[in-house]
């Protein structure tokens, strides 16, 4: 049965995914930072709610994954207003935690295989991005092909989580 908190988490994931992707493609720095601020707050709220939901259900691995995602998103949110170049350290920390979170969430078979696979692909792309930055590649959060290639897989994973919340298995 779907609850009001499931609906709120679904909306947070949808807003986070939409505004996050939109922010990646705009050229105006103030607009990008605004979109990413909305994205970040929505995802922090959604993942906080999902942490509580899965903790109550006794699924500690998934709860820990959503809590880890929340920590990563908080780092991203904190660095956002500094601008693209200055945000790279918090960005690298944030996507490192996103990758760990996606692996934790996908480790349990609670979500459908396709959702777990899209999360794993996103996690791999984020880890490669982190390694590249740590080894000196001048990548920004908007750089292509990496890290930009990971975002659609992350948003597809969000869509799966939303599906699971809106239409739970009976």
């Amino acid at each position: 049965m779907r609850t009001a908190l499931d609906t709120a988490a679904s909306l947070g994931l949808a807003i986070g995914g939409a505004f996050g992707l939109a922010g990646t493609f705009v050229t105006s720095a103030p607009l990008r930072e605004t979109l990413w601020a909305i994205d970040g707050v929505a995802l922090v709220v959604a993942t906080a709610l999902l942490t509580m939901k899965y903790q109550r259900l006794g699924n500690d691995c998934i709860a820990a994954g959503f809590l880890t995602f929340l920590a990563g998103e908080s780092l991203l949110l904190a660095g956002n207003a500094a601008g693209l170049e200055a945000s790279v350290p918090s960005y690298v920390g944030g996507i490192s935690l996103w990758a760990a979170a996606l692996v934790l969430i996908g480790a349990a078979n609670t979500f459908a295989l396709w959702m777990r696979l899209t999360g794993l692909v996103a996690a791999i792309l984020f880890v490669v991005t982190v390694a590249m930055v740590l080894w000196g590649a001048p990548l920004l959060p908007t750089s292509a092909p990496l890290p930009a290639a990971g975002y659609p897989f992350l948003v597809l994973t969000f869509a799966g989580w939303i599906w699971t919340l809106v239409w739970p298995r009976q």
Side-chain angles (χ1 to χ4, degrees), residues 16-17 30 40 71 80 88 93 99 109 112 132 142:
N80 180 43
V88 170
N109 64 359
M132 290 175 67
T142 55

Side-chain angles (χ1 to χ4, degrees), residues 88-149:
V88 170
S90 64
Y91 177 75
V92 167
I95 67 171
S96 296
L97 291 171
W98 275 1
L102 292 166
V103 170
L104 281 168
I105 294 165
N109 64 359
T110 301
F111 295 102
L113 180 60
W114 73 266
M115 295 175 216
R116 294 165 38 218
L117 289 175
T118 58
L120 181 61
V121 169
I124 291 167
L125 293 171
F126 294 141
V127 167
V128 169
T129 300
V130 168
M132 290 175 67
V133 171
L134 293 176
W135 284 89
L139 296 178
L140 297 174
T142 55
S143 295
L146 288 175

Side-chain angles (χ1 to χ4, degrees), residues 46-60:
T47 53
L49 293 171
L50 291 169
T51 297
M52 298 307 297
K53 174 186 180 76
Y54 285 98
Q55 180 64 44
R56 273 190 246 113
L57 292 173
N59 197 326
D60 293 345

Side-chain angles (χ1 to χ4, degrees), residues 66-77:
F66 283 119
L67 184 60
T68 303
F69 196 97
L70 183 154
E73 190 62 39
S74 296
L75 275 174
L76 294 167
L77 189 57

Side-chain angles (χ1 to χ4, degrees), residues 1-10 53 56 165 168:
M1 173 180 254
R2 182 174 21 143
T3 68
L5 294 179
D6 289 342
T7 301
S10 296
K53 174 186 180 76
R56 273 190 246 113
L165 290 166

